[in-house]
Each structure stands twice: as C-alpha cells, then as structure tokens.
Amino acid sequence: YIYPMQILPVSDRKSAAVFLHLPVQIYKDDASWIRPLDKDILDVFDPQKNKAFRFGKLSRWIVVDEHNLPLGRIAAFVNKKYKNKGDDVPVGGIGFFECINHQQTANLLFDSARHWLADNGMEAMDGPINFGERNNWWGLVTEGFHSPLYGMNYNPPYYKDLFEKYGFQPFYEQLCMGMNPQEKIQDKILHKYLSIKQTPGYSCKPFKRKQIRSLAADFSEVYNSAWAGHDGMKTISKDQALIFFKKMQRVVDEKAICFAYYNEKPIGFFVNLPDLNQWFKYLKGKWNFLQKFYFLWLKKTKTNRKLTGIVFGVIPEFQGKGIDSFMIGSVAENIQNGQSAYTEYELQWIGDFNPKMLNLAKGLGNVNISRKLTTYRYLFDSSKPFKKHPIISELRR
C-alpha cells in the first residue's frame, strides 16, 4: 500500500516540534526505548551549541500523510571535518532517521537526503550518523534490541530492511561488549596488573574531584598523544578537557576511573561512568528546573546498577607494555570490593576495523557482544566499487 504522503522541510518552529516528537509515536509500544532528553537532540541542530556548524551545514525533513499526521523524519548534513581512512569520494551523512514500517516512506526520506547531499557536492552518504562527535547518535542497531545507553541510537528491527532494500551497504560494524563487573578478570590480566603494580615508577590513580584541573591536563596530554591526528581526530585543549570533566563530575563514580602514570608522567586513562539512561528514563525527555531536582532525587533513591565504558587511551610509547591490564585491574579491584552495586557493564561501541581494541575488550573476562550497530554507506554512483572501512592498527576506541 502506498500512502498519500508529502515530504516537508523543517523550516519553522511547528515543523521542528513535529521532528522532535515523532519518535514518541514510533516507540509508543516499545518498552525498551528510552526517550532521549529533548535538549540533547535540539543541541545538535543549534548553531550556538554545535561546533560542527563551523565546518558544515544540514537540512531536515518530515513526511506526513493526507491528514497531516507524521510518518517519518530524516536529517542530512555535510561536514568538512568528516573523513574516514581510505575515503576516495566526498561523503555526507544522514541521521535522526525515524520511520513507520513502510519502504516507500523510507525511500522518500532517503531520496530527499541524497538529492540535497548531491547538490552540495557529495558522492556518498553514511548513516545513521551524528552531525558532530562520534560518541553520540551513531549507527543503526542490528543486533541486541535492548534499552540503549545514554547518547546511543535505538531503533526497531525493521529499520535494517528499510536501509538495505534502499541500497545501503554496511561500511563497518560497531560492537558493544557486556559482562558482569563482579566476575573475576582473566588470569593473564590479573598477573600483568600485579606485576606492573609492584614495579617502581608505575601508579594508577582514581578520579578525584579536588584534583579536577590537574586530571583534565593529564587527560588532554594522553589523548593528544594517543589519538590526535589519526583518522581526522582533533586535539583537545586543557580547557576543553576541564569543561568535559566538570560536566562529568556531577555523575562520576571516582573508583570507576583510572589514570596511569610512570614516574608521575601521565601515560593512560580508563574512563567508566554510571549509565545516565538508568536515571533519565524517568524524565520522559524533559530537562527543566523541576526535572533537574527530580534527577538529583533519582540519583539518591534509585541505585544505578549499570556501568558503561566511555573512553580508553594509552600513549604510543607505552602501548603493548601491559598498561591496559594495569588500568583494568585497578578499576576491577576498586569496584569488586563488596561495596559496589554494579551488576552490568557495557563498553561503548568499538569498530570492527579496530582489532587491537576488540581483542583488549574480549580479554576483560567473560564478555559477550551485547549489541551491534552498523554504519551504512550508500554510493551515489553504483558503478563504483564499494569498500568497507579499512583496518587500523592504533589501540584506540
């Protein structure tokens, strides 16, 4: 059945509100969906909040039926900073796709995004991705349709068919790893941890709010040494790291974060946080004055049993020396002391193009692939050969 339908640009407050609230209708019967905070979605499309507007632009559309009821939405964006290793054509992005289970409706959304991107010089489109950083709103869930972590996409299983029947192909898989954080870590990690712990010069320190400025500087130093310049990754200044840490300290569990040092020089970090969605799921997308107080009450009264791995890094000269095991062992010792309430642990996604990081994650212990997300690519010229994301050798997320 082909719905009588019309595609409309998001061009005013009314259409922007329809775009924002459309997922409530899509997921009204899905108990696993956790509604994102409205402000987190709105910030993506606000040039005052999203730095990606300095390097690109976007457009949005909604599809409505003959009664003006919404059926789907999509955003498309170009970003000069968006690059993947091995890209030989300019690539744009699509994201924030939501749609009823109807291929013609999805095709209308994909066509609108593709034509706009082609008009802006693109020759391919990746999606669903974010207009900005890769740690949020990235990838289509293709396995593991359980409640999303904070900032993670969630979708019905039928979205996979909508993408692939249109012609999208998997560019890379994003794997999340889950485990029981109270289980013993593997012996080889434990032995390496104990060995380095007893070696003079090495130390592993937890996050301390009173030391936030020095820790932000250490984070910046390790991050820039380990990641900046790789595959389009940009540097992080001490001030930027401090802003991130100040936001993080409101919810941080100090014992779940580790900074590694050699002779007081920062050489690595392992950052884990309680999953915010375990509290945000009660807020129904709102974040006003009353919700902020409600959130504080939830933090005190609702035990958060889910810990999530956010970011991991080791500077190049100490990679391959067991610093990863040193930090993993330190965090495990801190949260397996009988006082921790965590019963679930999930590492944020790791690309299948990053075998070193995948092997590290699998070495944590009795881990399983908790969910898979897929970043798809669609080449506008179907005669060109399709290439998956190339394998990288650096130890990074």
Side-chain angles (χ1 to χ4, degrees):
Y1 176 73
I2 298 178
Y3 287 85
M5 54 190 173
Q6 181 182 14
I7 191 156
L8 304 170
V10 174
S11 57
D12 53 26
R13 293 181 66 179
K14 182 178 179 181
S15 54
V18 173
F19 184 95
L20 178 66
H21 295 114
L22 189 146
V24 176
Q25 178 65 24
I26 298 287
Y27 298 102
K28 66 182 188 304
D29 298 320
D30 191 336
S32 295
W33 182 59
I34 296 177
R35 180 176 174 178
L37 295 183
D38 289 349
K39 79 169 195 68
D40 287 344
I41 304 299
L42 292 171
D43 284 354
V44 175
F45 303 105
D46 185 346
Q48 303 301 316
K49 301 286 183 63
N50 188 350
K51 294 184 293 184
F53 278 96
R54 301 177 190 174
F55 315 104
K57 59 181 179 178
L58 61 80
S59 190
R60 291 181 284 168
W61 299 266
I62 55 174
V63 170
V64 297
D65 67 10
E66 71 270 31
H67 304 296
N68 216 34
L69 296 175
L71 305 175
R73 75 177 194 186
I74 199 169
F77 19 82
V78 294
N79 184 347
K80 294 178 182 177
K81 295 290 185 179
Y82 179 63
K83 297 185 188 308
N84 292 278
K85 188 176 182 180
D87 281 354
D88 54 6
V89 296
V91 182
I94 62 163
F96 303 91
F97 171 87
E98 302 287 358
C99 189
I100 62 171
N101 191 4
H102 189 253
Q103 191 66 51
Q104 285 83 3
T105 305
N107 291 352
L108 183 56
L109 290 164
F110 293 142
D111 283 345
S112 299
R114 175 167 58 89
H115 293 150
W116 182 85
L117 288 168
D119 289 342
N120 282 276
M122 300 296 105
E123 297 180 29
M125 57 184 179
D126 288 354
I129 66 172
N130 187 27
F131 184 51
E133 301 298 333
R134 301 184 185 221
N135 57 318
N136 289 329
W137 320 124
W138 208 281
L140 189 82
V141 181
T142 49
E143 291 184 25
F145 296 90
H146 42 268
S147 294
L149 302 174
Y150 174 67
M152 178 177 283
N153 277 339
Y154 178 82
N155 54 265
Y158 68 80
Y159 278 24
K160 182 176 186 288
D161 282 342
L162 296 181
F163 270 76
E164 294 183 357
K165 287 180 179 178
Y166 184 78
F168 282 93
Q169 299 180 69
F171 184 46
Y172 57 82
E173 302 288 347
Q174 303 156 230
L175 308 180
C176 298
M177 302 290 182
M179 65 176 295
N180 182 343
Q182 300 302 328
E183 287 189 359
K184 181 184 176 183
I185 60 175
Q186 287 190 352
D187 286 341
K188 63 179 181 180
I189 292 180
L190 180 61
H191 293 155
K192 194 67 177 178
Y193 160 64
L194 293 174
S195 174
I196 295 179
K197 184 180 180 180
Q198 296 165 6
T199 301
Y202 288 97
S203 61
C204 211
K205 303 175 184 178
F207 182 90
K208 294 293 183 183
R209 289 176 175 86
K210 293 180 180 179
Q211 301 170 0
I212 189 170
R213 288 188 176 275
S214 63
L215 291 175
D218 293 344
F219 180 91
S220 173
E221 183 176 338
V222 172
Y223 182 96
N224 292 336
S225 175
W227 288 347
H230 294 288
D231 214 7
M233 302 290 282
K234 59 183 183 239
T235 60
I236 290 181
S237 69
K238 294 178 183 179
D239 289 341
Q240 288 172 321
L242 183 59
I243 291 171
F244 167 63
F245 275 33
K246 284 183 175 179
K247 290 180 180 179
M248 186 177 74
Q249 71 175 345
R250 302 170 189 169
V251 296
V252 72
D253 182 343
E254 293 185 345
K255 61 182 177 293
I257 297 176
C258 174
F259 288 82
Y261 298 85
Y262 180 69
N263 290 335
E264 300 303 316
K265 172 184 170 60
I267 59 174
F269 53 67
F270 185 26
V271 178
N272 304 280
L273 293 175
D275 177 33
L276 293 178
N277 267 0
Q278 304 308 305
W279 294 309
F280 285 165
K281 63 185 177 183
Y282 299 102
L283 303 184
K284 299 180 179 179
K286 305 304 178 186
W287 189 248
N288 56 30
F289 184 78
L290 290 178
Q291 263 73 32
K292 290 178 182 180
F293 275 100
Y294 185 31
F295 173 70
L296 294 175
W297 180 82
L298 288 169
K299 278 186 62 187
K300 291 184 177 180
T301 59
K302 298 282 187 182
T303 301
N304 194 329
R305 300 191 180 280
K306 188 158 192 173
L307 190 66
T308 178
I310 302 297
V311 64
F312 185 102
V314 178
I315 65 174
E317 55 264 45
F318 280 86
Q319 291 182 9
K321 295 185 177 181
I323 305 306
D324 48 354
S325 298
F326 183 41
M327 294 190 293
I328 291 167
S330 296
V331 171
E333 185 175 65
N334 289 339
I335 66 174
Q336 293 180 353
N337 57 10
Q339 300 176 1
S340 170
Y342 301 118
T343 57
E344 295 180 73
Y345 179 76
E346 189 169 7
L347 275 170
Q348 290 269 22
W349 68 265
I350 303 169
D352 64 355
F353 51 80
N354 193 346
K356 284 191 175 181
M357 194 65 201
L358 283 171
N359 288 334
L360 172 63
K362 292 174 181 177
L364 285 172
N366 187 24
V367 300
N368 63 285
I369 297 176
S370 52
R371 70 182 95 213
K372 289 183 182 179
L373 297 95
T374 303
T375 294
Y376 285 94
R377 173 164 289 188
Y378 181 94
L379 293 173
F380 298 167
D381 183 352
S382 59
S383 67
K384 289 190 174 182
F386 182 86
K387 303 175 184 176
K388 295 198 70 173
H389 192 295
I391 301 298
I392 64 171
S393 58
E394 296 90 353
L395 181 61
R396 59 184 179 85
R397 180 181 171 276

